[in-house]
Amino acid sequence: MDKEYKKALEQAKANLADAKARGKDAMGVTWGELRHKLFTPEEIAASDLRVAMMIEIAKARKERGISQKKLEEMSGVKQPIIARMEKGSTSPQLDTILKVLAPLGKTLYIGDLDQHEQVK
């Protein structure tokens, strides 16, 4: 049994090294390829928007030297909710997002998607 285990372990290591050399992960595809197989374009766009918003909120807060606790005082949104927003582990209500953005000097902008795509 020990000999078989070692042989299987060596084969797994060789397979992983081969996949990495080809630019693939352990599943044989990149995350981008898997993402496009698992999710619709709409789901990917929504996820990308949530990530961008999370990054912008954390970036704006840090640039202004405001702690999450201080942002709680300024916005009325509890610190644990702010932390979850920044980590992306929650999908906050629009009014919650607006409450957090205002003290950071930010707002949401609604624009033409075609123009947004051209900017990228």
Side-chain angles (χ1 to χ4, degrees):
M1 179 81 162
D2 189 39
K3 188 176 181 181
E4 289 178 27
Y5 172 78
K6 288 180 181 179
K7 184 178 178 181
L9 185 58
E10 289 304 314
Q11 183 61 52
K13 287 179 183 178
N15 291 345
L16 184 57
D18 178 59
K20 286 183 179 180
R22 290 183 285 119
K24 307 290 183 179
D25 64 16
M27 295 182 298
V29 296
T30 64
W31 165 242
E33 292 168 340
L34 183 61
R35 182 180 192 217
H36 286 284
K37 287 180 181 181
L38 294 176
F39 303 106
T40 66
E42 293 80 13
E43 290 170 323
I44 291 170
S47 174
D48 289 347
L49 179 60
R50 281 191 299 273
V51 169
M53 187 171 43
M54 166 197 71
I55 290 169
E56 281 300 315
I57 289 172
K59 179 179 161 189
R61 180 182 63 76
K62 290 173 185 175
E63 284 175 350
R64 286 164 179 73
I66 300 172
S67 68
Q68 289 179 349
K69 189 67 177 166
K70 180 68 176 172
L71 186 55
E72 173 185 351
E73 295 169 14
M74 297 168 75
S75 68
V77 176
K78 297 291 185 189
Q79 182 275 327
I81 294 171
I82 293 168
R84 288 193 299 271
M85 286 173 66
E86 289 185 3
K87 287 193 313 188
S89 61
T90 187
S91 292
Q93 296 288 322
L94 181 58
D95 63 333
T96 303
I97 295 167
L98 294 172
K99 286 178 186 178
V100 169
L101 289 174
L104 298 173
K106 300 283 185 178
T107 190
L108 291 178
Y109 170 78
I110 298 174
D112 189 343
L113 281 175
D114 293 335
Q115 289 179 351
H116 175 71
E117 291 300 319
Q118 292 171 3
V119 172
K120 284 184 176 180

